[in-house]
Amino acid sequence: MPANKYAGVVVDQVHPSLDKLFHYSIPENLAGQVQVGVRVQVPFGRRHVQGYVLSLDDEPGVSEEKIKPIRKVLDHDPALNSSVVPLITWMKAEYNCMMIEAIRCLIPPGMRLNLRGKTQKTAIISDPDQVDEWVRAVEGYSAGMASILRILQQYDSMPVQELIDLSGASRSSIQSLEKRGYIVIEEEDIYRDPWPVIHGPTRPPVFNQEQEAAAKKIGECIRKGSGIILLRGVTGSGKTEVYMKAAEDAIALNKQVIVLVPEISLTPQTVSRFKGRFGDQVAILHSRLSLGERYDEWRKIRSNEVQIVVGARSAVFAPMERLGLIILDEAHEDSYKSESRPRYHARDVAKKRCELDGAVLVLGSATPALEDYHRALLGEYHLVEMINRADYQALPPVEIIDMRRELEMGNRSMFSDTLYQALNDTLSRGEQSIILLNRRGYARFVSCRSCGYVIKCHNCDVSLTYHAKGQALKCHYCGYTEMYPKVCPECGSKYIRHFGMGTQKVEEELKSLFPAARLLRMDADTTGRKGAHYKILDAFEREEYDILLGTQMVAKGLDFPKVTLVGVLAADAALNLPDYRSCEKTFQLITQVAGRAGRGDRPGRVVVQSYQPEHYAIQFAARHDYTGFFNREIQIRHQFNYPPYSHIIRVLISGEREKELIQFAKNMVKWLKKRIENTDLLKKGLLDLGAYQAPIGRIKNKYRWQVLIRIRADWKFRDAYHRLTDELDGEFYNDSLTVALDFNPLSLL
Ligand code: ADP
Ligand code: ZN
Ligand code: ZN
């Protein structure tokens, strides 16, 4: 086959006008090396830039005389393996990103910076059979050289430094041996181990019936090479063991596995369990690794030295070539969605990769995202449920405390009588407690401490948001505004206010209530440094502390057998965020944190404090009733046309000049209206469209407005609107404003 003469290259420059293939000729001396996926250096204007070859052609694509040759091929192996190349065009269409932004997801930043992986000098014996002879030749005048040869006779090769340490010989002995040709010195890659914790190997437990059935279903799909499984298993049902069995099945078929966890530092136990079971077959990828560490892990995966990758969101791009299985643990977590460009969702990228590679996707959760469960019920996913804990322990009973009554009874403390007593009992039994302070939504909505009334919009089913500027309450779906009331519109009480309560304040109160308790706080302030999460969780696991107090961070994935009490403060804080997902998030949070109690042999207990104890999200969570919650919530979504019954497209515009910004947003709406008016499909798909100030009106001196488009949930409308937003991207590019487009954003704040 004659070699291709031309290559289409994406240059490593982020600018919309450069988001296309540039054509270069392939010089003869590089003909064998230029393939799809390789990183190259090409002339660009007056400079040389990096780029990636995405196509090979026989025709130049532009006029022959304009074309320039590729200058260099930068890596030995293609940076992008063939199985991930199709993801680039898919991401461009799906997330309105540039090709180079998609490519940058697929390669480690260390590679672009041409960081060299760490290497070390290694001595290798040239011919083991001749060692006796060589030893006789040198031992008369150099004991060191002889000793080196003896060691290498036994080990064949050894890093030079270790060899010096072990033999006691000098560096010059090594050099002499090299000169004589007895040994050769080579640079060998060394990989830094980013998970240096030592684990004994663990054995799989004997599965219960539900685990058996789940593993069987996943195994069948893996052998078939297709399928998406939604694994809903209550907290402690033994999902992680099922994941590990699935991984084993895939590896047995010579396939590779990606395991995604919401955030590595918060789920050290999951990582440790995979490392413990699979040892060196596991690589770990996450954003807290140094660039060098990340590059090391990536190269290990790229050269097919590992079978399993465990990592956070970005690990969905791991360069596996024989992918057979992707697992998303706690698949409902928001951290799977990227909040910066490209705004991808790891679940959707995983789906696409599985489709391209003939792999199986497992979405595991105790509280699946509403849209995922909805899809499972529609038959798009296989639904597998595990409703019992692994060894049939009971799920802990949950008591809901009405904090309005506490106030009536004169208790102004943050702790109800019940929670105080429960903490006291737990401490005196020498057991551990977790206290969760729900900070999401803190200080943003206004409610009455006397009757629980929350001020809502007249036009929409969302609470109004407090804006400190002008003491106003606003709806950011429709723009409705009213003044901050002096008394509760419902009961006339003057205890109406926006809420504020921080972990530090709770810590102080706990200290004064239980001076002898050993208290550990985990929040954004105490976890800034690298490794801080791990240290905190580790200390708690080793029972150096009695109470772990924290924000959402303490709700996830932890398996501590000594924890018998979980307390939740301000359980309802997030219920009133101006967000259609606030009930779902609240239900998930309470169910998840409740699941931390009673995982050992002692029964657990959960106390949830709330100002809206009758709210269905809290009631269903207290009963551990996922399907009850689902049925109720999906009805509301249907009624108000929220996802999954609609898609929301948000264009967030931010910039320093407010007037210009508002005009820009209004022009955008005008332009959209006109385009929609003139296209039948767009018109049919539209639910509503408008420009509004964002609920957080200014961040870091930049004003924020958003254009919201809500459309009917149907693929044909979705595609039509994708094409519209593509056009919009080109039409409304502006150097002084930031325009961020997001399909189904997780938050509208
Ligand atoms: P999940 O991920 O669903 O919360 P885990 O996999 O963490 O559940 O399992 C909860 C606990 O039960 C763990 O300590 C695990 O070792 C244990 N476990 C899992 N499966 C079994 C089993 N079949 N028999 C006994 N213990 C089990
Ligand atoms: Zn009131
Ligand atoms: Zn409204």
Side-chain angles (χ1 to χ4, degrees), residues 7 82 131 189 238 311 356 366 376 608 708 718 745:
S82 51
V131 170
D189 285 347
L356 290 167
V608 173
L708 293 175
R718 201 192 140 121

Side-chain angles (χ1 to χ4, degrees), residues 457 459-460 475 478:
C457 176
N459 310 317
C460 316
C475 170
C478 71

Side-chain angles (χ1 to χ4, degrees), residues 366-385:
T367 51
L370 212 73
E371 56 178 298
D372 282 330
Y373 202 74
H374 182 65
R375 289 216 173 109
L377 293 182
L378 292 176
E380 291 175 37
Y381 303 161
H382 302 285
L383 181 61
V384 177
E385 305 191 87

Side-chain angles (χ1 to χ4, degrees), residues 176-453:
S176 314
L177 287 170
E178 193 187 7
K179 264 195 209 125
R180 285 165 181 253
Y182 295 175
I183 64 172
V184 282
I185 306 291
E186 280 184 2
E187 293 282 343
E188 265 192 3
D189 285 347
I190 49 165
Y191 299 128
R192 286 149 279 205
D193 188 350
W195 203 260
V197 193
I198 315 286
H199 317 278
T202 59
R203 274 173 201 289
V206 177
F207 272 5
N208 64 35
Q209 266 179 358
E210 288 181 327
Q211 286 173 312
E212 202 65 69
K216 183 162 169 259
K217 182 78 212 168
I218 300 171
E220 279 167 18
C221 289
I222 293 173
R223 279 185 288 283
K224 218 172 55 185
S226 72
I228 301 174
I229 294 115
L230 179 63
L231 176 61
R232 179 175 79 87
V234 299
T235 52
S237 57
K239 292 184 289 295
T240 312
E241 290 294 343
V242 173
Y243 303 153
M244 290 195 283
K245 174 71 173 74
E248 233 168 67
D249 285 356
I251 293 170
L253 292 170
N254 196 28
K255 299 265 178 104
Q256 293 166 310
V257 183
I258 297 176
V259 182
L260 299 179
V261 293
E263 205 185 315
I264 289 258
S265 47
L266 295 182
T267 46
Q269 288 179 324
T270 310
V271 183
S272 296
R273 283 165 74 181
F274 271 90
K275 266 279 201 189
R277 184 75 46 87
F278 297 98
D280 288 344
Q281 299 186 77
V282 182
I284 294 167
L285 277 181
H286 67 101
S287 55
R288 285 218 175 190
L289 296 178
S290 71
L291 290 186
E293 287 169 332
R294 218 188 320 176
Y295 192 12
D296 283 353
E297 292 294 284
W298 187 87
R299 285 183 305 153
K300 230 196 282 184
I301 302 161
R302 185 73 185 88
S303 56
N304 284 310
E305 287 171 52
V306 297
Q307 311 311 320
I308 301 179
V309 170
V310 181
R313 180 178 68 222
S314 61
V316 75
F317 296 109
M320 304 292 219
E321 272 177 337
R322 290 176 279 107
L323 190 63
L325 174 67
I326 302 182
I327 294 164
L328 257 81
D329 186 26
E330 312 285 1
H332 62 279
E333 283 287 338
D334 282 358
S335 55
Y336 285 122
K337 172 117 199 266
S338 167
E339 287 299 332
S340 58
R341 291 179 63 103
R343 294 185 167 72
Y344 67 91
H345 198 299
R347 175 195 52 213
D348 301 332
V349 176
K351 255 186 223 173
K352 190 67 196 176
R353 280 200 79 174
C354 287
E355 184 192 312
L356 290 167
D357 291 10
V360 170
L361 177 61
V362 174
L363 304 171
S365 174
T367 51
L370 212 73
E371 56 178 298
D372 282 330
Y373 202 74
H374 182 65
R375 289 216 173 109
L377 293 182
L378 292 176
E380 291 175 37
Y381 303 161
H382 302 285
L383 181 61
V384 177
E385 305 191 87
M386 305 201 296
I387 58 171
N388 293 297
R389 279 190 158 176
D391 49 3
Y392 298 98
Q393 296 129 306
L395 285 163
V398 179
E399 293 155 81
I400 306 174
I401 307 302
D402 184 344
M403 290 305 278
R404 297 170 304 191
R405 299 296 298 277
E406 295 286 319
L407 190 70
E408 266 173 35
M409 320 257 277
N411 178 6
R412 284 165 183 264
S413 138
M414 298 170 191
F415 292 88
S416 60
D417 227 30
T418 314
L419 184 51
Y420 172 80
Q421 290 301 340
L423 273 166
N424 217 359
D425 293 348
T426 311
L427 283 167
S428 64
R429 282 198 304 269
E431 295 168 359
Q432 291 179 301
S433 311
I434 291 179
I435 302 287
L436 168 79
L437 172 63
N438 187 3
R439 285 258 304 182
R440 206 181 121 94
Y442 134 95
R444 299 208 52 83
F445 70 100
V446 177
S447 78
C448 171
R449 283 192 76 175
S450 183
C451 75
Y453 180 77

Side-chain angles (χ1 to χ4, degrees), residues 56-286:
L56 295 173
D57 306 291
D58 292 324
E59 299 300 321
V62 287
S63 66
E64 185 88 46
E65 56 274 16
K66 269 189 169 167
I67 223 157
K68 293 180 194 159
I70 288 176
R71 190 152 177 266
K72 238 195 228 171
V73 171
L74 292 171
D75 311 290
H76 195 269
D77 296 315
L80 305 163
N81 61 345
S82 51
S83 82
V84 299
V85 169
L87 276 180
I88 297 163
T89 36
W90 176 79
M91 282 179 74
K92 178 176 160 57
E94 186 69 17
Y95 300 114
N96 289 80
C97 68
M98 299 171 217
M99 286 186 280
I100 193 61
E101 291 175 306
I103 290 172
R104 285 183 179 184
C105 292
L106 290 160
I107 54 159
M111 172 179 255
R112 277 179 52 229
L113 303 173
N114 288 320
L115 271 193
R116 290 284 307 275
K118 253 208 185 152
T119 59
Q120 62 189 355
K121 288 196 172 8
T122 301
I124 304 162
I125 195 80
S126 309
D127 183 354
D129 293 338
Q130 293 194 54
V131 170
D132 288 334
E133 200 178 308
W134 294 341
V135 168
R136 277 195 295 277
V138 298
E139 68 189 341
Y141 62 92
S142 169
M145 279 162 71
S147 145
I148 289 170
L149 288 170
R150 287 288 178 217
I151 292 169
L152 288 178
Q153 186 175 31
Q154 194 179 347
Y155 292 99
D156 280 344
S157 75
M158 186 174 280
V160 167
Q161 192 54 53
E162 280 175 38
L163 196 53
I164 289 170
D165 294 345
L166 197 64
S167 65
S170 64
R171 219 164 263 279
S172 63
S173 304
I174 304 242
Q175 284 160 356
S176 314
L177 287 170
E178 193 187 7
K179 264 195 209 125
R180 285 165 181 253
Y182 295 175
I183 64 172
V184 282
I185 306 291
E186 280 184 2
E187 293 282 343
E188 265 192 3
D189 285 347
I190 49 165
Y191 299 128
R192 286 149 279 205
D193 188 350
W195 203 260
V197 193
I198 315 286
H199 317 278
T202 59
R203 274 173 201 289
V206 177
F207 272 5
N208 64 35
Q209 266 179 358
E210 288 181 327
Q211 286 173 312
E212 202 65 69
K216 183 162 169 259
K217 182 78 212 168
I218 300 171
E220 279 167 18
C221 289
I222 293 173
R223 279 185 288 283
K224 218 172 55 185
S226 72
I228 301 174
I229 294 115
L230 179 63
L231 176 61
R232 179 175 79 87
V234 299
T235 52
S237 57
K239 292 184 289 295
T240 312
E241 290 294 343
V242 173
Y243 303 153
M244 290 195 283
K245 174 71 173 74
E248 233 168 67
D249 285 356
I251 293 170
L253 292 170
N254 196 28
K255 299 265 178 104
Q256 293 166 310
V257 183
I258 297 176
V259 182
L260 299 179
V261 293
E263 205 185 315
I264 289 258
S265 47
L266 295 182
T267 46
Q269 288 179 324
T270 310
V271 183
S272 296
R273 283 165 74 181
F274 271 90
K275 266 279 201 189
R277 184 75 46 87
F278 297 98
D280 288 344
Q281 299 186 77
V282 182
I284 294 167
L285 277 181
H286 67 101

Side-chain angles (χ1 to χ4, degrees), residues 446-477:
V446 177
S447 78
C448 171
R449 283 192 76 175
S450 183
C451 75
Y453 180 77
V454 174
I455 299 182
K456 291 195 164 184
C457 176
H458 288 281
N459 310 317
C460 316
D461 191 29
V462 293
S463 52
L464 294 179
T465 303
Y466 168 65
H467 288 242
K469 194 178 147 208
Q471 294 280 302
L473 304 179
K474 285 187 184 166
C475 170
H476 77 272
Y477 279 88

